Amino acid sequence: MTFDIGNFLGGFVQKAIKRLFLSFIIILEDFRDDGRMSDEEFQRIRKRILDSGNDVIRDIVGELQNFDFIFKEGYNKETNSKETNSKE
């Protein structure tokens, strides 16, 4: 079984950033629903949040391509845990 840590990190970063900017949109929806902003303002700011989040995802995932990741000696990439050498 092969484990591509670069793809794993890219996916993790993408999910984390999406959660962050979607939480901003939820707060923004609350402002709109409370009458603190017009629908036009909501749409404009929502687009900026989505564009910024997507730009950051592209930048970070692109930068991850510049790195080679290796597992430390004694690390089992199949079980995602540190191996111990206990002699009984």
Side-chain angles (χ1 to χ4, degrees):
M1 180 175 154
T2 304
F3 184 76
D4 186 343
I5 191 70
N7 282 339
F8 171 77
L9 286 174
F12 177 79
V13 165
Q14 185 174 6
K15 287 178 187 178
I17 292 172
K18 281 185 178 183
R19 274 194 320 268
L20 178 63
F21 68 76
L22 290 176
S23 70
F24 291 157
I25 291 174
I26 290 170
I27 294 167
L28 196 63
E29 287 172 342
D30 291 342
F31 285 165
R32 181 197 57 194
D33 295 344
D34 290 345
R36 292 188 253 179
M37 71 171 49
S38 68
D39 194 53
E40 181 179 300
E41 289 173 308
F42 168 79
Q43 293 299 333
R44 181 177 51 83
I45 296 170
R46 178 184 176 277
K47 182 182 182 327
R48 288 171 122 182
I49 291 169
L50 293 172
D51 288 346
S52 294
N54 288 327
D55 287 345
V56 169
I57 289 170
R58 275 191 295 277
D59 290 346
I60 293 174
V61 171
E63 284 299 316
L64 286 174
Q65 302 304 313
N66 295 324
F67 295 91
D68 291 323
F69 298 95
I70 58 170
F71 289 97
K72 293 180 181 179
E73 186 177 331
Y75 189 82
N76 185 329
K77 60 186 176 183
E78 273 82 32
T79 63
N80 201 26
S81 64
K82 185 171 175 128
E83 294 178 340
T84 57
N85 293 331
S86 60
K87 293 182 179 181
E88 298 180 39

